[in-house]
């Protein structure tokens, strides 16, 4: 959990300052006083609050202290006197994991921006009283300024954020969002994985095939699950896919947020209906519905009502989510 000791500091330092501190700690019997003196006499420009950095290092359990002397813990001796590039990569990953472990980041404040094809990290994703931690993410190059409204792009180690977002969604937000949906969580995830692979197969040879991704792992409120390309000639991510996994009679729940996105995106919005019992069958293809708002408008096989709905093909059994 969060330790309030870091809230006392408005700034920890910049990248050069953090590396300088680590270099100082690589020398045995370092003290705050000795490190401060070295900082004052450094010929290179560094920005560091030695006490704040020491506090962070101790909270990260990478250093320890005895009688006012500080030393690097045995598990991290291999990073003593390492190059700057090696240190930055290791420290950045360790710092991100530290933020995750201590719940400094509110993942509901991270969203996917289709236009930039990047994940946006809101200024409020880290509490204001711990702004020094967000500033360090910026200094490490993990975050960059996105827009004038105080939001940032996640530029590095996005897979760490995706993995953590998926873990959190399993435990909390995804369960809440799916509690009224007529499918099991495991089936839904396998359905999305199937569609992700299906899209990569359909667009084999596309120069940006690696950009096809499952964004629902981190942005569960986007209104769609996968971003892809409409065809081989598409230069931009122009196919947004909501995956509906079912067993037996084709059916799905469609939330008001999903319908809103479908209306906004029109021909760029697709529903892929995946029969869970057939996803391992050779040559099976999902039912693909483009622009579902228009598709369902005058289709007697489907009945749409307000709020979250359950739709059953060739059946009038409609369940309204209160």
């Amino acid at each position: 959990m969060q330790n309030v000791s870091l809230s006392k500091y408005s700034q920890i330092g910049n990248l050069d300052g953090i590396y300088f501190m680590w270099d100082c700690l690589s020398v045995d019997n370092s003290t705050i006083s000795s490190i401060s003196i070295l900082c004052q006499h450094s010929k290179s420009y560094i920005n560091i609050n030695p006490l704040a950095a020491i506090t962070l290092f101790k909270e990260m359990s990478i250093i320890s202290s005895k009688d006012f002397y500080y030393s690097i813990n045995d598990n991290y001796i291999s990073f003593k006197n390492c190059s700057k590039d090696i240190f930055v990569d290791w420290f950045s990953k360790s710092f991100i994991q530290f933020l995750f472990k201590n719940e400094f980041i509110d993942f509901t404040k991270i969203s996917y921006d289709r236009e930039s094809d990047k994940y946006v990290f809101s200024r409020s994703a880290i509490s204001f009283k711990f702004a020094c931690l967000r500033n360090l993410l910026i200094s490490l190059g993990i975050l960059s300024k996105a827009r004038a409204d105080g939001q940032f792009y996640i530029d590095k180690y996005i897979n760490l954020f995706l993995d953590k977002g998926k873990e959190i969604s399993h435990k909390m937000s995804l369960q809440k969002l799916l509690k009224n949906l007529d499918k099991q969580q495991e089936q839904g995830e396998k359905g999305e994985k199937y569609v992700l692979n299906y899209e990569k197969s359909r667009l084999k040879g596309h120069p940006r095939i690696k950009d096809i991704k499952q964004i629902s792992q981190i942005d569960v409120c986007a209104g769609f699950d996968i971003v892809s390309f409409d065809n081989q000639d598409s230069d931009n991510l122009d196919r947004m896919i909501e995956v509906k996994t079912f067993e037996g009679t084709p059916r799905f729940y469609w939330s008001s947020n999903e319908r809103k996105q479908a209306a906004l995106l029109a021909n760029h919005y697709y529903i892929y209906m995946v029969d869970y019992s057939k996803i391992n069958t050779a040559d099976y293809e999902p039912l693909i519905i483009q622009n579902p708002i228009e598709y369902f408008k005058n289709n007697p096989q489907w009945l749409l009502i307000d709020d979250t709905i359950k739709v059953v093909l060739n059946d009038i059994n409609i369940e309204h989510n209160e």
Side-chain angles (χ1 to χ4, degrees), residues 305-322:
I305 57 178
D306 291 337
D307 300 320
T308 301
I309 58 174
K310 178 181 179 182
V311 187
V312 182
L313 183 64
N314 289 324
D315 198 328
I316 61 170
N317 177 24
I318 306 297
E319 295 182 10
H320 183 212
N321 176 47
E322 299 295 342

Side-chain angles (χ1 to χ4, degrees), residues 1-6 53-63 98 101-102 104:
M1 299 299 290
Q2 297 176 1
N3 190 314
V4 297
S5 60
L6 290 167
I54 288 292
T55 301
L56 174 63
F57 288 174
K58 289 183 68 176
E59 292 299 322
M60 292 175 63
S61 300
I62 59 178
I63 67 169
F98 164 75
K101 180 180 179 181
N102 291 275
F104 282 108

Side-chain angles (χ1 to χ4, degrees), residues 21 28 52 96 220 254:
M21 278 289 299
D28 293 334
I96 291 171
V220 296
W254 201 14

Side-chain angles (χ1 to χ4, degrees), residues 43-81:
K43 294 181 180 180
S44 59
Y45 174 74
I46 60 171
N47 179 0
I48 193 70
N49 179 333
L51 189 56
I54 288 292
T55 301
L56 174 63
F57 288 174
K58 289 183 68 176
E59 292 299 322
M60 292 175 63
S61 300
I62 59 178
I63 67 169
S64 55
S65 62
K66 183 178 181 181
D67 298 330
F68 303 104
Y69 291 99
Y70 297 93
S71 59
I72 296 173
N73 285 339
D74 291 342
N75 291 341
Y76 309 103
I77 292 297
S78 60
F79 293 101
K80 268 190 173 184
N81 303 312

